[in-house]
Amino acid sequence: MKAIKHIFPAKEEVAATFAAFLKEQINASERYSIALSGGSTPKILFEHLARHYAEDIDWSKALLFWGDERCVPPTDDDSNFKMTKTYLLDHITIPQENIFRILGENNPESEAQRYASEALRTLPIENNLPVFDLIILGMGGDGHTASIFPHQMELLEVDNWCGVATHPDSGQQRITLTGKVINAAKQIAFLVTGESKKEKVDIILHQKDGYKSYPAAHIQPTNGTLHWWMDEAAAIV
Ligand code: 6PG
């Protein structure tokens, strides 16, 4: 797998170096579109950005989207939007029109269609796919990414830009970008930390037996660059 690996001793350093990378990217652009992720590592990243880059990043250039959202209201503790608002948006100055929230409180099927046709249509379209400047992804212990879980591999291949997914344990519905949209991005960055990810990271990055059964292994940008930012706990076998 062609990926640029960035490995740091601790998760705080993953967040700090990725935040510095983000600053360079956003400030050097006219407009910079980012799909954000839920999960534990983005949370530390958002805290770091709020503390150190509230002023140093020109947030008016950033267009914020989400790679996936849980189907709950934006006030629910499970909401990826709520997590982002609490740890980042409440601490920076960014125009409201730059924020493209997935409406988790709406009917999942119709919201997946609306997000594709209203939000993603504002991005440049190439080969019938919206092109993000950057998509931030996490990886679950089961090898899922965004909300593409191993029992719904079809979401990697479908032509719809957004799909409805079901969490395998809780049954919670989620809205997710689909594989073709993710792979059309200019840059994709996995943020993966912690010992619990180590086994899957090893299988996926070294293409060991069975790696294709994990959604994260299918994330390989068509024309863009793939980064894996990790701490040693996740990366060193
Ligand atoms: C979500 C995510 C999901 C997440 C991974 C990793 O909404 O849950 O977008 O794909 O990134 O499950 O999460 P952790 O970093 O918390 O393990």
Side-chain angles (χ1 to χ4, degrees):
M1 166 177 286
K2 251 189 5 197
I4 303 171
K5 293 171 207 151
H6 312 257
I7 302 169
F8 300 92
K11 60 185 180 198
E12 290 73 19
E13 287 159 284
V14 174
T17 51
F18 189 78
F21 164 81
L22 213 49
K23 173 189 158 182
E24 298 301 320
Q25 297 282 310
I26 296 172
N27 287 353
S29 309
E30 287 278 308
R31 308 290 269 164
Y32 192 79
S33 55
I34 311 172
L36 302 169
S37 165
S40 53
T41 316
K43 183 175 155 190
I44 316 171
L45 169 70
F46 297 158
E47 284 179 313
H48 190 92
L49 286 167
R51 190 167 312 134
H52 300 282
Y53 293 100
E55 306 298 332
D56 286 358
I57 289 179
D58 182 351
W59 291 101
S60 69
K61 295 175 167 187
L63 305 173
L64 302 183
F65 298 77
W66 276 262
D68 70 332
E69 181 58 281
R70 292 91 182 267
C71 294
V72 295
T75 47
D76 192 293
D77 284 344
D78 253 6
S79 160
N80 283 341
F81 173 78
K82 181 178 177 182
M83 192 273 275
T84 314
K85 181 175 182 320
T86 306
Y87 292 100
L88 179 63
L89 304 179
D90 284 350
H91 310 278
I92 60 174
T93 304
I94 181 164
Q96 199 55 39
E97 63 267 23
N98 291 22
I99 298 174
F100 296 84
R101 178 171 83 80
I102 298 175
L103 307 177
E105 65 275 33
N106 286 357
N107 170 277
E109 295 290 348
S110 47
E111 177 56 14
Q113 281 182 26
R114 184 204 68 84
Y115 200 67
S117 61
E118 288 180 21
L120 302 188
R121 277 274 159 207
T122 64
L123 294 166
I125 311 288
E126 283 173 27
N127 301 320
N128 213 19
L129 291 167
V131 179
F132 278 97
D133 290 309
L134 173 67
I135 297 185
I136 299 175
L137 295 172
M139 183 187 71
D142 60 355
H144 82 260
T145 191
S147 279
I148 307 178
F149 294 93
H151 73 286
Q152 286 184 302
M153 296 296 273
E154 67 277 8
L155 289 170
L156 290 163
E157 290 302 328
V158 293
D159 288 327
N160 289 348
W161 295 353
C162 297
V164 178
T166 308
H167 190 280
D169 303 323
S170 65
Q172 181 188 59
Q173 287 198 297
R174 295 168 169 213
I175 292 166
T176 186
L177 299 185
T178 52
K180 287 185 182 176
V181 172
I182 297 174
N183 282 333
K186 290 188 188 161
Q187 302 207 69
I188 301 174
F190 276 95
L191 300 184
V192 178
T193 58
E195 176 96 27
S196 64
K197 309 291 169 72
K198 187 197 242 171
E199 185 202 335
K200 298 295 185 307
V201 167
D202 182 37
I203 295 174
I204 291 169
L205 289 184
H206 300 117
Q207 302 196 332
K208 292 190 172 171
D209 271 2
Y211 75 97
K212 284 193 172 160
S213 59
Y214 303 117
H218 296 262
I219 302 306
Q220 183 70 64
T222 317
N223 296 310
T225 311
L226 177 64
H227 302 262
W228 279 70
W229 298 71
M230 297 172 280
D231 64 355
E232 287 180 359
I236 310 285
V237 182

